Amino acid sequence: MRINKYISETGFCSRRETNRLIEAKRITINGVICEHGATVENGDLVLIDGKPLGSKGEPIYLALNKPVGITCTAAKHIEGNIIDFVNYNERIFPIGRLDKASEGLILLTNDGDIVNKIMKSEYNHEKEYIVTVDKPFTDSFIEGMENGVEILGVKTKPCHVTRISDYVFRIILTQGLNRQIRRMSKVFGYKVVKLERIRIMNIKLDQLCIGQWRELTKEELEQLKLRLQ
């Protein structure tokens, strides 16, 4: 089993965070510093910072209304990281990212399998945002955003955009490029001044206050797993 999958299944951190640990040379396998692409067999001793991994325990699934200023990383050395902010009594890590300047819904878990399924772009999972820009926008802006925008060397996938007011729109994406909405808006000459994610697939922010988190309901989790099949 590849080291990334092995560590994510223990619930220690995600595959993406495992890559960072490998780059920092913090993982060893049988006393040898781990390299990218390494595999683990039964009986191998995997240590992180010289300490063995614990078992995952009971699965945990949380929804957090992330405030502006919190960084979506499990890296403890980063000030304002999401793990210290939530301060949960078990080891968890975020599913995906929501940039530091944005707020709203993000999921956290110790279930590496569900992270990998959600993160795979080919599943085309919906994420919904409410966005405020710095000046009134036109109908041609909406049409341009919906049809796709050239950013980061690629054209974004078609998406659904609806006007809420002269400055505010709702957008539903099925991909997650780095700072995608901000970059898309900038192409048309607009600056995002507020960005809030209100939904990930069937999980909604609803009345969850900024900075608060809750456990997913049984119904939410069942629907989520059905969509990931």
Side-chain angles (χ1 to χ4, degrees):
M1 182 184 297
R2 284 187 173 270
I3 186 66
N4 301 66
K5 179 175 174 62
Y6 175 82
I7 290 179
S8 72
E9 288 188 353
T10 70
F12 185 89
C13 65
S14 67
R15 297 189 188 191
R16 181 178 293 174
E17 291 293 339
T18 298
N19 284 333
R20 295 190 178 95
L21 294 175
I22 292 172
E23 289 168 3
K25 303 186 183 303
R26 294 172 57 188
I27 304 175
T28 61
I29 302 174
N30 299 325
V32 178
I33 294 176
C34 177
E35 301 288 344
H36 287 290
T39 57
V40 180
E41 299 179 359
N42 288 335
D44 285 345
L45 177 61
V46 178
L47 303 179
I48 297 179
D49 296 329
K51 299 176 182 179
L53 298 170
S55 60
K56 179 166 65 175
E58 290 298 315
I60 299 163
Y61 307 95
L62 305 180
L64 166 70
N65 188 345
K66 185 192 86 69
V68 171
I70 298 301
T71 302
C72 293
T73 179
K76 302 285 281 184
H77 67 280
I78 295 180
E79 186 176 354
N81 71 77
I82 196 170
I83 303 305
D84 285 346
F85 178 79
V86 174
N87 195 29
Y88 197 73
N89 58 5
E90 300 286 344
R91 182 182 290 123
I92 54 175
F93 46 89
I95 303 177
R97 290 181 175 274
L98 187 59
D99 70 64
K100 188 174 180 178
S102 300
E103 61 187 82
L105 181 63
I106 187 161
L107 306 180
L108 299 102
T109 186
N110 63 347
D111 183 349
D113 286 339
I114 205 167
V115 172
N116 298 322
K117 289 178 179 178
I118 291 175
M119 294 295 289
K120 285 185 177 178
S121 60
E122 60 264 29
Y123 281 88
N124 292 321
H125 303 313
E126 287 189 351
K127 290 172 287 185
E128 185 173 347
Y129 304 81
I130 303 296
V131 185
T132 304
V133 290
D134 61 337
K135 57 187 177 182
F137 56 86
T138 62
D139 289 341
S140 62
F141 167 76
I142 294 177
E143 183 179 354
M145 294 282 281
E146 286 188 323
N147 291 335
V149 182
E150 293 284 347
I151 61 171
L152 300 172
V154 298
K155 187 174 183 179
T156 59
K157 293 181 179 179
C159 60
H160 185 59
V161 182
T162 54
R163 179 188 295 274
I164 295 177
S165 70
D166 289 344
Y167 292 82
V168 184
F169 63 90
R170 180 189 311 270
I171 183 169
I172 300 174
L173 300 180
T174 55
Q175 64 185 139
L177 300 176
N178 182 32
R179 299 173 64 85
Q180 180 171 343
I181 297 171
R182 296 179 188 277
R183 292 178 189 273
M184 290 171 70
S185 299
K186 185 178 180 180
V187 169
F188 296 99
Y190 296 86
K191 179 181 179 181
V192 171
V193 296
K194 181 179 179 181
L195 193 155
E196 180 185 26
R197 184 159 64 195
I198 62 170
R199 179 172 64 89
I200 299 172
M201 299 172 65
N202 64 297
I203 312 300
K204 297 179 180 179
L205 192 61
D206 287 336
Q207 302 303 312
L208 193 62
C209 295
I210 293 177
Q212 292 187 338
W213 57 264
R214 63 173 178 83
E215 295 182 349
L216 297 191
T217 67
K218 180 180 178 182
E219 292 76 16
E220 285 175 326
L221 190 56
E222 287 176 348
Q223 288 183 35
L224 182 64
K225 289 185 175 180
L226 278 174
R227 296 184 182 207
L228 295 172
Q229 289 180 351

